[in-house]
Structures are given as structure tokens and as C-alpha cells.
Amino acid sequence: MRRAGVLRGMAYGAEFLLLYLLQQVPGLFPEISHSLPVLLIPAVVTAAFFEEEVPAMVCGLFCGLLMDFGSGSFLGAKALEFAVGGYCVSFLASQFLKTNLLSAVVSTLALGGILALLQWIFTALFPGNSGSGYLLFYHLLPRVLYTAIFAVPLYYLNRFLATRLRAPADI
């Protein structure tokens, strides 16, 4: 039972590292409205659908730390946001949502939208930038929609990992 959890954690870690590296490759994904997808958001959401709250929070923390290290900004901000997001999605998925593709896509849209709104509030609205509306509607929201597209393949990948790397007693 413990071995299956370690294997799942290693598989998720490898997946998150690969997705982070893929989203950092210039020119790999086409820009839509000068935005690129954030592949770690649907990865955290879809992993949280198949894990309990604490492992989902650890997945979010790991992805957030990857984002923090790569951005060069305040260390821990994205880690905190992703960890809380992973915990909340896992809690909602275990208590209120059905584990299916539609729920994963809607949850990705919701978490991505919340993270985009937080970014907009603290980087554009509070400092009083004049183009804050433009930033929200023509940059951040298209990025959220672009990111949600990747929830589909990541849902099936994480479902495969969660079902294949689970101990027989856990099924």
C-alpha cells in the first residue's frame, strides 16, 4: 500500500517536471492573445481529483514551487496558491463533484480564473495601472481558456496513473 503511494508520487513528480519544462520551451505552443498556457494548473486539478486532500496539496505545493523558481519573483506565492487550490479541488471532488472530464475542465477553469483574478488584483488593480481592464480581458482570461484545453489529456493521464499505481487494497 505504501509502495503504490510512493510510485504514484514519483509519477506525478515526473509529470509535473515534464509539463513545467514543456511550458518553458519557447515556440512550442502557439500564442493566443499574447498568452501561453500554464500546464501545471490542469495538472494539479486533475491529480487532485484522484488523490486525497493532503497528497493533492503536496502536488499543488510542488507545482507552485516550480512556478516560483521559474518566475524569479516572490518565493512561495504561487506555491501557496497552488497548494490551497489542490486541497480545495480535492475536497470538493471527494464531497460534492463527480469525478469525470466535465468536472475536471470546469474545475480547471475555476481555479485558473481565481488565480488569474488574484494576479490581476495584486499586479494591476491595486497598483493603479491604467491598462488593468485590458490586461484582464485580453491577456489573463484568454490564458485561462487556453489552459483549460489541456485539462482533457491530463485528466486521462492522471486517471491512468491513479488507477494503475494503486495498491489492490485501495481499489
Side-chain angles (χ1 to χ4, degrees):
M1 182 165 95
R2 186 120 178 124
R3 181 176 168 211
V6 170
L7 285 175
R8 245 184 2 264
M10 289 174 54
Y12 286 138
E15 172 194 350
F16 298 151
L17 281 172
L18 179 66
L19 290 173
Y20 175 73
L21 290 174
L22 285 176
Q23 80 181 20
Q24 298 301 321
V25 173
L28 182 63
F29 298 106
E31 288 188 12
I32 296 178
S33 185
H34 302 289
S35 298
L36 292 171
V38 182
L39 300 178
L40 294 178
I41 292 174
V44 168
V45 169
T46 56
F49 264 85
F50 301 106
E51 297 297 328
E52 294 179 4
E53 287 88 356
V54 173
M57 185 175 64
V58 171
C59 288
L61 183 69
F62 181 69
C63 288
L65 284 174
L66 284 174
M67 295 286 292
D68 283 335
F69 288 139
S71 69
S73 63
F74 180 68
L75 185 63
K78 292 286 183 201
L80 180 64
E81 292 171 353
F82 276 53
V84 169
Y87 183 88
C88 291
V89 168
S90 179
F91 175 75
L92 291 172
S94 67
Q95 300 295 323
F96 303 109
L97 300 174
K98 290 189 180 227
T99 304
N100 58 26
L101 180 61
L102 179 63
S103 296
V105 171
V106 169
S107 297
T108 301
L109 283 169
L111 182 61
I114 290 168
L115 294 178
L117 282 174
L118 286 173
Q119 180 182 357
W120 176 69
I121 287 170
F122 291 112
T123 61
L125 189 64
F126 281 167
N129 293 340
S130 60
S132 62
Y134 178 83
L135 176 68
L136 178 66
F137 289 108
Y138 294 103
H139 183 67
L140 293 176
L141 292 181
R143 184 175 71 188
V144 170
L145 295 174
Y146 193 14
T147 298
I149 294 170
F150 292 94
V152 176
L154 291 175
Y155 172 80
Y156 289 115
L157 173 66
N158 286 331
R159 185 177 74 174
F160 175 79
L161 291 176
T163 56
R164 297 289 183 217
L165 298 177
R166 191 159 306 271
D170 291 344
I171 298 176

